[in-house]
Amino acid sequence: MSRFVNSCLKPLSVAVSLGGIAGAYTATAAIADTAHDATTSKVNDARSSTQGAEGQSVTSHSVEHIHVIGHPFNTMRTSNDMGRMPQDVMHTAQTIDVVPRELIQQQNAKSLDEALRNVPGITSSVGEGAGGMSGDQFLIRGFPAQNDIYEDGLRDFGVYTRDSFFQDSVNVIKGPSSEVFGNGTTGGAINIVTKSPTLKNHYNADFSGGSANYYRGTVDINQRIDKTTAFRIEGMGTSNNVEGRDYAAAHRWGIAPSIAFGLGTKTTVVLQVMHQSSDNVPDYGVPVTKLPGQTMGRPITEKKSLGVSRDNWYGKKQDHDNSEDTMETLRLTHKFNSHLTLHNDLRFGEYSRDFAASSPQCANAQCSEIQLYNPGYKKVTSSYGLNGGPMPYKQSSWSFQDVASMQADFNTGFLKHQLVTGFDFEYVEDSRRQYAYDAMGAGRAIPWQNTASPQRDTYQYATCRADSGSCWKNTNYSLGRPDSSGYGFDTGLFLYDQIWFNKWLSVKGGLRWDHWQTMYKTWGADAQTTDESVKSYGKAPSKAADYHNSTDVVNPTASLLFTPNNWQTFYFTYASSTTPMGMYVTNGSIPVRPASNGQVATQPERSRLYEVGTKMSLLHDRLGATISLFRLDKSNALTSDPISGQVQATGIQERNQGLELSLGGMILPGWNVSATYALYDPRQTSGVNKGRNIQYVPHNQATLWSAYEAFPGKPWNFTIGGGVTWRQGVYLTLANDAKVPANVEFDSVLSHRINRHWVVSLNGYNLSNRLNYNSLFTGRVTPAPGRTFLGRLSMEY
């Protein structure tokens, strides 16, 4: 046995040196959090080894159990890091994909979007709406999840591209999870686990540079103050263009200080602040159109005869996306005794945004020219209809959320219970001021640009004040969106209990009750306003609108778990979720209005999940594997108009069902692997498009990443690795008459450890320089970056 332990420890130490010394203990912490481990002494030993990682004493007995820790790429023992989800990944009856810190570091993933490329079933989407959303816009299993992004279990209401500098790992909980997160989570929830202070000092700096004028620096300092207190601060600065795309660029910086009290004691308090500032040039991509005689729309970059380069950017000089996002979080954990634990998480958020972007559309069937739908303008028909693109706007929002939960572990006779109950309050308020562009003289037509060679600086429009009459000098144009303000308030109560009949059979059931209140107020011109009715903005505003909504709903959940041994779990789960209309005032279009003028009132979106699966932790926890079959039904689905961005109630039902597989861990000493595969059957089950595919959902999707460290501990050591990400082509419309081709991307890494403190590496992305498309929407798609190389120098003490 000792020989086997030593053979495991050697590659484990390699993984620790590459990924950070604390990474190897992630699984151990999860074991310690598992309430009903088969052997209590093993759990206590795991706690001891974790304390050793934090700078406290390590007993010889805990060292004997290090081989149980396994490999960081095996995430089965990973904690969900939330009081509301006390079990580890393996013992949670739902598909959970974890992107561990070690994988993020090997791939040099700089953002949440890059990290999530390792998760099957996630698609990026360019959002629309009142002002044109962008930032992180994800779909999980084909259903919108832009409002289902969390950090340490609390919702992040901001609309921005989330940098990875303060992220420790990313968990994707697939399927409805209203009993944990409340409203939303139709396709699932994305929970970012942030970096927190530990009792072991470390000092890390990281510098990257490469293609497309890419420059990036990060710093991570953790300092122990006394035996129970530690301080940590992370910082980041990034500036880059995009390889293969003209003019698109990102510039951001961020800082995330935190301090923890009571580490290793019964009461722990962690105070965190995260601030990120971004100054970006948004990329709304290229149009999707049909050529004469064709029935299927394609991106114009796929039509070789047009000579459209993948570099073409159809924007204007004024396009910008500037945001300031700050969150203050206070997390409290108090362990009364071995049976009762209290968690309380509190967060305030402040968000601001200044946004303007151009949405390209084809001007005619041949698409020989592109008419730019400049913010606030469109070349109208003789009837002066309004179909403008996204308006420039300034947005200011703030939010508050408090989640308190009590975990109780107790027995009733021969039955073991783990009961979790608590409340969840969240409030978010938003105000938005929309602007227009001055046409620079009455009668001037909106310019068209040549498809093959657009000129960004040829045509410019000066931004005018929203209260200025100059916005209306040209009667062929009018303001296409109103100003707005609104709030959403959610009160939730939850209760669920997991009951063990014996050590291998348990059931879990519970429910959550929510009361939602929303208000959305608009004033100024809207899509129903004619030019003649608006003389000057602010003096003769069009009809104001004031929408209110109040909803009460109960979402139940039930699971059956069978754990025949300590390395395998079988489960069946039923779960549900509800998404009320108008709840997301910071990230989405105006809420669907109640019944009026013959329109049908839209009911909340509802979803139901049926899932059966198994999770395994093999080879003494060095390798983890999952298999799951699911069916996800959604009713009262919404969609967005491809031109105006208005949310439309389809009233249709949708269903996605399929198979998901994953494998992660250490195959042989020094050789790690992470692989996933998803097979989906996404269908609309009602409406005029019954039987057709759901938008944006591929039938097949797979990822593979593997790396091998050769000659560890030798001066000539090196790590070589790489992988492939594949997504089958997807439909862009409900009618399935527009499609984007498959994505195939090959990436690589080559690194060398100079000594115990310094590592140099080179990452390559999209090595084949294939024309892929990352961000998808009905009428346009955004080409992914071309072949990119980034060099990296890391220092850690």
Side-chain angles (χ1 to χ4, degrees):
M1 174 63 73
S2 61
R3 182 177 300 174
F4 176 78
V5 171
N6 290 333
S7 67
C8 290
L9 287 178
K10 185 176 180 180
L12 179 61
S13 65
V14 172
V16 171
S17 67
L18 285 174
I21 195 166
Y25 295 93
T26 304
T28 308
I31 296 174
D33 289 338
T34 304
H36 296 282
D37 194 276
T39 306
T40 305
S41 62
K42 289 183 180 180
V43 176
N44 293 334
D45 293 338
R47 287 198 181 99
S48 299
S49 62
T50 303
Q51 292 172 353
E54 303 298 348
Q56 299 180 17
S57 62
V58 181
T59 65
S60 60
H61 189 55
S62 67
V63 174
E64 187 68 22
H65 285 272
I66 287 181
H67 70 278
V68 179
I69 294 171
H71 192 274
F73 277 66
N74 174 17
T75 59
M76 291 297 99
R77 305 292 185 181
T78 302
S79 169
N80 286 302
D81 208 54
M82 282 184 291
R84 290 162 287 164
M85 298 183 73
Q87 296 292 319
D88 61 10
V89 169
M90 184 170 177
H91 296 93
T92 301
Q94 207 161 340
T95 298
I96 300 178
D97 294 298
V98 179
V99 185
R101 170 180 48 197
E102 290 74 20
L103 181 57
I104 293 174
Q105 291 180 338
Q106 278 191 6
Q107 295 180 345
N108 194 12
K110 286 80 64 184
S111 64
L112 176 61
D113 176 69
E114 293 183 13
L116 289 177
R117 292 176 190 172
N118 296 284
V119 178
I122 289 190
T123 306
S124 295
S125 173
V126 177
E128 279 286 355
M133 297 290 108
S134 58
D136 288 332
Q137 303 280 316
F138 302 112
L139 300 105
I140 303 177
R141 290 177 173 171
F143 301 111
Q146 67 265 31
N147 299 297
D148 299 318
I149 301 176
Y150 299 80
E151 291 181 9
D152 299 319
L154 296 175
R155 196 184 300 270
D156 182 353
F157 292 94
V159 184
Y160 61 105
T161 300
R162 292 161 179 82
D163 197 279
S164 64
F165 78 100
F166 65 101
Q167 300 171 5
D168 190 68
S169 62
V170 180
N171 294 13
V172 181
I173 299 96
K174 298 285 188 66
S177 304
S178 275
E179 83 281 1
V180 175
F181 298 105
N183 54 77
T185 67
T186 300
I190 300 167
N191 184 47
I192 300 167
V193 180
T194 62
K195 297 175 181 178
S196 296
T198 69
L199 292 175
K200 181 175 180 59
N201 294 339
H202 77 258
Y203 314 96
N204 173 267
D206 193 285
F207 307 94
S208 297
S211 304
N213 295 321
Y214 189 96
Y215 303 98
R216 176 180 175 87
T218 65
V219 62
D220 182 1
I221 298 174
N222 188 93
Q223 180 65 49
R224 177 174 174 169
I225 299 175
D226 57 38
K227 64 180 181 179
T228 63
T229 307
F231 174 79
R232 188 169 186 171
I233 185 169
E234 297 99 26
M236 171 275 300
T238 294
S239 176
N240 66 276
N241 300 325
V242 179
E243 189 67 37
R245 295 295 293 159
D246 290 339
Y247 303 115
H251 310 279
R252 59 181 181 263
W253 66 271
I255 188 169
S258 58
I259 187 169
F261 304 94
L263 293 173
T265 69
K266 289 186 176 182
T267 303
T268 303
V269 177
V270 179
L271 175 62
Q272 298 173 301
V273 178
M274 192 289 295
H275 175 81
Q276 181 177 311
S277 177
S278 302
D279 180 3
N280 304 326
V281 177
D283 188 356
Y284 264 55
V286 300
V288 174
T289 188
K290 300 176 185 177
L291 287 180
Q294 295 185 351
T295 59
M296 185 66 64
R298 304 280 183 179
I300 61 171
T301 42
E302 294 296 310
K303 304 178 188 298
K304 306 302 182 184
S305 61
L306 297 179
V308 177
S309 169
R310 68 189 295 171
D311 296 7
N312 284 6
W313 181 82
Y314 300 99
K316 300 183 311 303
K317 192 173 183 179
Q318 294 94 330
D319 290 1
H320 61 273
D321 184 0
N322 303 332
S323 63
E324 301 284 341
D325 302 276
T326 306
M327 290 182 290
E328 302 90 9
T329 306
L330 181 66
R331 294 186 289 152
L332 166 69
T333 301
H334 177 67
K335 190 175 183 65
F336 294 96
N337 49 50
S338 60
H339 302 288
L340 196 64
T341 304
L342 170 69
H343 299 268
N344 192 86
D345 299 324
L346 173 67
R347 172 173 295 161
F348 290 93
E350 302 87 36
Y351 316 96
S352 65
R353 196 173 187 216
D354 186 351
F355 179 87
S358 301
S359 175
Q361 299 291 334
C362 284
N364 50 43
Q366 288 75 29
C367 205
S368 60
E369 293 177 304
I370 291 179
Q371 179 182 0
L372 292 184
Y373 284 58
N374 297 293
Y377 284 92
K378 175 184 179 297
K379 186 177 180 181
V380 296
T381 64
S382 57
S383 60
Y384 300 105
L386 292 172
N387 284 312
M391 294 288 296
Y393 68 93
K394 292 185 178 180
Q395 178 185 18
S396 178
S397 315
W398 68 274
S399 66
F400 162 83
Q401 185 175 13
D402 185 68
V403 181
S405 63
M406 185 75 74
Q407 174 188 330
D409 297 279
F410 58 93
N411 296 340
T412 57
F414 70 94
L415 299 177
K416 293 183 178 180
H417 295 259
Q418 186 174 75
L419 186 145
V420 177
T421 184
F423 63 82
D424 181 354
F425 295 139
E426 68 177 49
Y427 178 88
V428 57
E429 185 172 299
D430 177 80
S431 62
R432 195 170 303 174
R433 191 75 184 273
Q434 306 220 45
Y435 293 79
Y437 282 112
D438 192 345
M440 289 186 173
R444 179 171 178 176
I446 296 300
W448 292 8
Q449 292 204 40
N450 182 275
T451 305
S453 56
Q455 301 296 318
R456 181 188 70 148
D457 298 327
T458 301
Y459 306 104
Q460 295 189 32
Y461 290 80
T463 303
C464 66
R465 302 195 315 273
D467 58 354
S468 171
S470 63
C471 295
W472 309 101
K473 286 182 178 179
N474 190 335
T475 58
N476 289 330
Y477 307 103
S478 67
L479 191 62
R481 298 288 188 279
D483 289 350
S484 63
S485 65
Y487 71 83
F489 180 53
D490 179 16
T491 302
L493 301 176
F494 53 88
L495 171 68
Y496 50 92
D497 188 12
Q498 186 166 356
I499 304 172
W500 282 261
F501 299 101
N502 50 48
K503 67 179 183 180
W504 49 266
L505 182 64
S506 65
V507 296
K508 178 181 177 181
L511 54 85
R512 172 167 170 145
W513 168 82
D514 282 276
H515 175 71
W516 290 303
Q517 293 176 290
T518 62
M519 184 279 293
Y520 193 88
K521 183 178 181 181
T522 63
W523 61 93
D526 62 17
Q528 305 300 319
T529 304
T530 62
D531 297 303
E532 291 76 17
S533 66
V534 181
K535 303 304 180 184
S536 62
Y537 191 90
K539 297 181 180 180
S542 67
K543 52 189 177 185
D546 195 352
Y547 308 110
H548 294 269
N549 183 37
S550 180
T551 308
D552 291 273
V553 67
V554 175
N555 286 298
T557 182
S559 302
L560 175 67
L561 293 93
F562 176 63
T563 53
N565 46 57
N566 63 0
W567 57 269
Q568 194 170 22
T569 296
F570 298 89
Y571 67 89
F572 169 78
T573 287
Y574 166 81
S576 63
S577 71
T578 306
T579 304
M581 298 302 98
M583 187 66 198
Y584 307 115
V585 295
T586 63
N587 188 356
S589 299
I590 63 173
V592 177
R593 304 174 183 181
S596 63
N597 299 327
Q599 296 180 349
V600 178
T602 303
Q603 299 298 316
E605 291 183 311
R606 301 181 186 276
S607 59
R608 298 176 303 279
L609 171 72
Y610 307 89
E611 181 172 312
V612 60
T614 181
K615 303 181 182 184
M616 295 165 284
S617 189
L618 309 168
L619 303 178
H620 295 275
D621 284 350
R622 288 186 293 121
L623 192 66
T626 67
I627 305 173
S628 64
L629 292 167
F630 74 92
R631 170 176 285 185
L632 181 57
D633 292 310
K634 178 181 178 180
S635 61
N636 302 318
L638 301 180
T639 189
S640 297
D641 181 87
I643 303 299
S644 68
Q646 293 285 346
V647 166
Q648 300 171 342
T650 65
I652 66 173
Q653 282 75 49
E654 297 175 336
R655 170 178 294 168
N656 191 12
Q657 56 189 2
L659 165 73
E660 291 189 355
L661 309 173
S662 70
L663 180 72
M666 181 170 60
I667 300 176
L668 294 173
W671 182 14
N672 64 262
V673 65
S674 175
T676 67
Y677 171 71
L679 172 64
Y680 292 152
D681 179 25
R683 299 290 176 183
Q684 301 173 57
T685 55
S686 70
V688 296
N689 296 308
K690 182 178 180 179
R692 290 189 170 97
N693 282 23
I694 302 174
Q695 297 166 278
Y696 316 124
V697 189
H699 280 294
N700 292 275
Q701 190 171 3
T703 67
L704 172 65
W705 177 267
S706 185
Y708 178 74
E709 180 168 10
F711 312 111
K714 304 295 184 180
W716 53 86
N717 73 86
F718 66 89
T719 297
I720 186 170
V724 60
T725 302
W726 170 60
R727 183 194 70 209
Q728 196 174 10
V730 298
Y731 291 103
L732 302 174
T733 60
L734 293 173
N736 290 180
D737 60 356
K739 194 172 185 178
V740 66
N743 270 15
V744 182
E745 179 174 324
F746 296 95
D747 303 326
S748 66
V749 63
L750 178 65
S751 68
H752 168 66
R753 176 166 289 278
I754 301 173
N755 53 44
R756 60 180 297 187
H757 300 296
W758 293 86
V759 176
V760 62
S761 60
L762 175 68
N763 285 85
Y765 307 94
N766 194 10
L767 297 178
S768 65
N769 202 32
R770 179 184 171 91
L771 176 54
N772 292 320
Y773 300 94
N774 281 346
S775 297
L776 310 178
F777 199 65
T778 301
R780 62 179 183 273
V781 293
T782 303
R787 185 187 296 113
T788 303
F789 292 99
L790 294 181
R792 183 182 185 190
L793 180 64
S794 301
M795 177 274 292
E796 184 168 4
Y797 284 88

